[in-house]
Amino acid sequence: VPIQCQYTKELELRRYMGDDRQIKFPIDNESIVWEESHVPFTEHIFLHKYISLFPPETHRFMETIVSALQNNPDLTVQKKKHIIWSYLNYFNFNKELLQEDEEEVLEV
């Protein structure tokens, strides 16, 4: 009966690379040329400028979304902007829902 060993990142790398190759440690993240090498760092973290495009009722919600996007290093700037634009399109398309909610709050 084979003994089950704990899953590690090293075992995964060996499986993908094959046992005949050596794995260089530490793994150099800079060796991978990725698609965003030309995008400045500020584009990733200064996304609050887009909040002013949204209706005022949604600013708190969008601050939460933008904060989460700013802290996510796995998404590209293009993907982050796509998420923001999709929320903007949603809120612009459903303006009457926001107005109905605002009227209900005023009545109470």
Side-chain angles (χ1 to χ4, degrees), residues 20-36:
D20 57 337
R21 297 184 190 172
Q22 282 189 334
I23 302 171
K24 292 188 242 176
F25 287 102
I27 297 173
D28 184 15
N29 291 338
E30 298 296 323
S31 66
I32 301 171
V33 178
W34 55 297
E35 61 196 57
E36 292 218 330

Side-chain angles (χ1 to χ4, degrees), residues 7-104:
Y7 177 81
T8 62
K9 196 68 167 173
E10 181 182 354
L11 291 175
E12 180 184 351
L13 287 172
R14 285 187 184 176
R15 189 177 79 225
Y16 286 126
M17 296 183 75
D19 290 331
D20 57 337
R21 297 184 190 172
Q22 282 189 334
I23 302 171
K24 292 188 242 176
F25 287 102
I27 297 173
D28 184 15
N29 291 338
E30 298 296 323
S31 66
I32 301 171
V33 178
W34 55 297
E35 61 196 57
E36 292 218 330
S37 59
H38 65 283
V39 177
F41 178 70
T42 56
E43 291 290 318
H44 280 277
I45 59 170
F46 294 127
L47 299 173
H48 281 296
K49 59 187 172 190
Y50 299 112
I51 292 177
S52 62
L53 300 173
F54 287 85
E57 303 87 16
T58 63
H59 282 193
R60 269 201 179 157
F61 174 74
M62 286 312 300
E63 284 176 7
T64 307
I65 298 296
V66 167
S67 292
L69 291 174
Q70 288 176 166
N71 292 323
N72 190 337
D74 299 324
L75 294 177
T76 63
V77 172
Q78 182 180 5
K79 180 66 176 168
K80 290 177 182 182
K81 287 181 181 179
H82 175 73
I83 292 169
I84 291 172
W85 295 130
S86 63
Y87 277 109
L88 183 62
N89 289 335
Y90 175 79
F91 287 129
N92 284 335
F93 185 74
N94 295 314
K95 277 186 179 179
E96 56 271 349
L97 289 176
L98 291 173
Q99 291 171 352
E100 289 174 10
D101 285 343
E102 189 175 309
E103 290 171 4
E104 288 177 12

